[in-house]
Amino acid sequence: MLWLTWRQHRMQVLLTTALLAVLGVVLLISGLGAADFAAQNAPATDCVTDTPACSSYIVGMNELIRPVGELLGWLPLLAPAMIGAFWGAPLLAREFEHGTHQLTWTQSVTRRRWLAAKIVGLGVSVTLGGLVLAGIVTPWLAAFDVPPTTLTTST
């Protein structure tokens, strides 16, 4: 059953993997640029008060984060719709168009087992994709943190 699920939906899985790889490269380039900017332009003094050095540093980091940050801001809103449109609709359409839902039920596969294989197989793929996305975005966001040398504690 898992082999059949893979054969039917491998294009969606491979396309999603490719999109995650492209997003990872974009975030890597953006994060490395932000880390380089931080290494060269981080203020030497503490950023407790609003100084010109701190203001220019923060403005520069905001300019670096804005293009990719806007993309990531829209991602949680658009991703579910895109997954539904490009994964969910073809999933159901292909099943009924090719009649594989009836084929699997005639091959001593119960409906419950067929549904479980579909949900588990594709659900695990989507969950792993979400975890990979979180693993890509988290280090990218860390590149935009204020360097520890500019933080002070108020006592």
Side-chain angles (χ1 to χ4, degrees), residues 30-153:
S30 174
L32 289 176
D36 185 45
F37 178 82
Q40 292 177 1
N41 299 318
T45 61
D46 297 334
C47 280
V48 176
T49 60
D50 190 19
T51 62
C54 288
S55 295
S56 66
Y57 176 74
I58 290 171
V59 167
M61 285 302 261
N62 283 338
E63 290 299 319
L64 286 172
I65 199 172
R66 182 172 293 131
V68 179
E70 287 179 1
L71 170 71
L72 291 177
W74 283 100
L75 194 61
L77 299 172
L78 293 177
M82 299 304 271
I83 288 171
F86 294 108
W87 270 53
L91 172 106
L92 293 175
R94 188 175 300 120
E95 289 289 333
F96 291 109
E97 182 179 317
H98 292 177
T100 56
H101 67 289
Q102 294 173 348
L103 172 68
T104 56
W105 296 335
T106 62
Q107 302 294 318
S108 73
V109 176
T110 65
R111 294 176 183 192
R112 205 171 267 163
R113 182 174 167 216
W114 173 81
L115 183 62
K118 291 287 183 176
I119 290 174
V120 169
L122 296 174
V124 166
S125 298
V126 170
T127 303
L128 288 175
L131 290 173
V132 167
L133 180 63
I136 292 171
V137 171
T138 301
W140 176 77
L141 285 174
F144 293 95
D145 288 340
V146 177
T149 58
T150 63
L151 293 178
T152 62
T153 56

Side-chain angles (χ1 to χ4, degrees), residues 21-36:
V22 167
L23 182 63
V25 169
V26 167
L27 292 179
L28 178 66
I29 292 169
S30 174
L32 289 176
D36 185 45

